[in-house]
Amino acid sequence: MLEIAIKGSKKYWIWLAILAVIMTAGVIAYIDQFLNGLMTTGMSRDVSWGFYIANFTYLVGVAAGGVMVVIPFYLHDYEKFHRITILGEFLAVAALVMCLLLIIVDLGQPIRALNVMLYPSLKSILFYDMLVLQGYLFLNIIIGWKVLEAERNQVKPPAWTYPLIYLSIPFAIGIHTVTAYLYCGLPGRGFWLTAILAPRFLASAFAAGPAVLILLCYVVKKFTKFDPGWEAMQTLSKIVCYALIANVFFFFCEIFVVYYSNIPGHISHIDYLFFGLHGHNAMVPWMWTSLSLMFIGITLLIVPWLRNNKFLLPFTCIMIIAGTWIDKSLGMIAGGFVPSPLHHVTEYAPTLKEGMITLGIYALGLIILTVLYKLATTVKEEVRG
Amino acid sequence: MMKKSRRSFLKVAAVSAIGIGAAPAISLSSSSTNSHGSSHAAKSPNKGAKTAKRWGMVIDTSKLTEEVVEHIVEACHKAHNVPDFNHEVDEGKYPKTRPVNHKQEVKWIWEEHFHNAFPDKEDEFLADKFKHLPFLVTCNHCINAPCVKACPTQATFKREDGIVLMDFHRCIGCRFCMAACPFGARSFNFRDPRPFIAETNPDFPTRSKGVVEKCNLCAERLAKGEQPYCVEVSKGAIVVGDLEDPESEPRKLLDKNYAIRRKQALGTEPSVYYIM
């Protein structure tokens, strides 16, 4: 099946070449970081995680969001999703590869990464995060590949894939729950120390993942002969809508508890994000933009004639992706680390090199996604034609 | 093959780390590289080693002056090869050293204001003498240390005598421990620290870039029957001893004085007390 990937149009190769150039720039920046240490980043003693872990958190959500097509199709026989299920699974594969790479580039001693498996520490949530992320990655590779292969040969997928498909559902929930537990189990960080964090992560993931998928459906429709189906996209947009409402609702639950209880250790972080603290307010415009984008997104999706507008929908999705990305990447990291446990305000901004490395990883993710989508759409065209 | 020998190494390291009051884990790990570590890896306590059921520290804040605090910080950092980003780099030895980012500094013990050391005890009517007192903060060697729980490789571990130690050669630099520590006690080597060490102490390892470090309660000195560096130069402001022994110096001080600990409400059970 892989032979499909090396037979492409000029546009296909130019696109891959552009991505390869971006990726190479990332590799060059990474070589510098590898040789000189994480001093090349904007991270500090007080803000010890930054852009890498922020994007990691977001992409875990995108990967988990793929389950929003798997559940309706496999558990509820929702036929409209038949054509896009594979797109959801392959999106998860690309997102997870990016996640694992973002973890690797964040390590101070990447060559020692295998110590996590050589000396497993059963009390560390990071150990479990590694297990579920890898598990979910392999599940999606196997399922996606086998189901596509079966479709190409016009047979039913082998029976043993079904248990794996059902298993992938709790795994999807699992990757984002465990990722939330990385944060919310730490006693000294008031911003993260909240039981609503995992539900909030999931809600935001189930909005962001399908929103990315809708955008990809537009791309697929424009550049291939395969039509994912407008009805499937409309259903997806409803899923995005309700997940986004849940996300904002959970956020307001958090706001209520924090401000009504009036506990300083919890207030100071949200104050910093939305109003600034001791004159430091780098995050303020970002957070209000994020909240506004999410509110506009909800409005545009909840009103039927706005939601069903084929021209408007991709822009709505872009707004939602940007809004949730700011909320969950930048906000989650900056809010958690500022102010520090000793109530110092040390602000954080990524450096150019940090940005290049992250962009390089996104480029690689897009290469994987492009190749996988090429396989999927070509097979689907073949079968129909 | 490789895997097996590593595993048996781990067993030895784990057994000695758990069982013994000295500093075998440090010496074991440092002997595996060329850094200037004490390579006499002991598997049983040295004769004359100081031992305890649970090591703890009592800081008498009334004895802290700017001068004493400065001496303490300097003694600790010098002896443990902690880099000083204000140190002028020897261009001959370390050419093309990039400029430092002071936010990425490393520190084991340092001075803070009361409201930073005890942010949950901030009080507008706090007596002036406390407002301006130079408070010393360091690793609390908590009983329920969140950093130990967070570490995915057991590079940070708790010895049975209460000291929270680090294996600099196992640490992968994920910095989960830094997120977990409620006291900001941990520092990460964002860069090679060696150009910023004025005079390397050959009796203690230097670190490489990419690993986390923090106060080790001078485990290497206790193992030799000596007092921690901070205690030695503190002019009586710091006392280190066995918190479980009612006759120990720290316990006698705690019997007579009112002492507080940082962020007690979090349940980590710090082993560092401050006499007010």
Side-chain angles (χ1 to χ4, degrees), chain A residues 32 48 106 109 120 124 342, chain B residues 98 116 150 154 175 190 209:
Chain A
D32 182 58
S48 46
D106 186 65
Q109 287 285 344
S124 176
L342 280 78
Chain B
R98 296 184 191 181
N116 295 117
Q154 302 168 31
R175 310 187 297 295
F190 283 91
K209 66 171 188 290

Side-chain angles (χ1 to χ4, degrees), chain A residues 146-219:
Chain A
K146 276 289 152 192
V147 170
L148 191 63
E149 203 175 51
E151 191 166 339
R152 192 182 197 197
N153 299 332
Q154 310 212 9
V155 292
K156 276 193 127 191
W160 57 263
T161 53
Y162 285 94
L164 293 187
I165 290 167
Y166 295 131
L167 184 64
S168 79
I169 295 170
F171 257 87
I173 314 282
I175 56 167
H176 222 22
T177 305
V178 177
T179 303
Y181 285 2
L182 285 177
Y183 296 102
C184 68
L186 306 176
R189 307 278 177 184
F191 183 67
W192 296 333
L193 189 67
T194 166
I196 201 106
L197 201 69
R200 216 180 124 194
F201 270 22
L202 284 168
S204 128
F206 294 158
V212 172
L213 208 52
I214 292 174
L215 274 188
L216 290 172
C217 286
Y218 273 94
V219 175

Side-chain angles (χ1 to χ4, degrees), chain A residues 31 57 64 85 96 139 161 251 271 318 332 346 357:
Chain A
I31 290 171
T57 311
T85 306
L96 285 166
L139 281 174
T161 53
F251 171 70
D271 268 353
I318 290 171
M332 197 50 58
T346 308
I357 292 171

Side-chain angles (χ1 to χ4, degrees), chain B residues 191-231:
Chain B
R191 58 190 299 160
D192 180 8
R194 287 158 196 138
F196 304 96
I197 302 170
E199 211 177 315
T200 308
N201 171 16
D203 292 330
F204 199 80
T206 57
R207 271 72 71 195
S208 60
K209 66 171 188 290
V211 298
V212 173
E213 60 181 78
K214 65 163 195 75
C215 156
N216 65 347
L217 209 69
C218 283
E220 82 281 9
R221 288 187 46 99
L222 295 172
K224 289 190 283 186
E226 293 163 343
Q227 285 284 350
Y229 290 109
C230 56
V231 175

Side-chain angles (χ1 to χ4, degrees), chain A residues 85-114:
Chain A
T85 306
I86 188 80
L87 300 184
E89 285 158 350
F90 281 166
L91 173 62
V93 171
L96 285 166
V97 171
M98 290 189 265
C99 288
L100 293 173
L101 282 172
L102 282 163
I103 292 286
I104 296 292
V105 299
D106 186 65
L107 294 181
Q109 287 285 344
I111 31 182
R112 294 183 193 163
L114 286 181

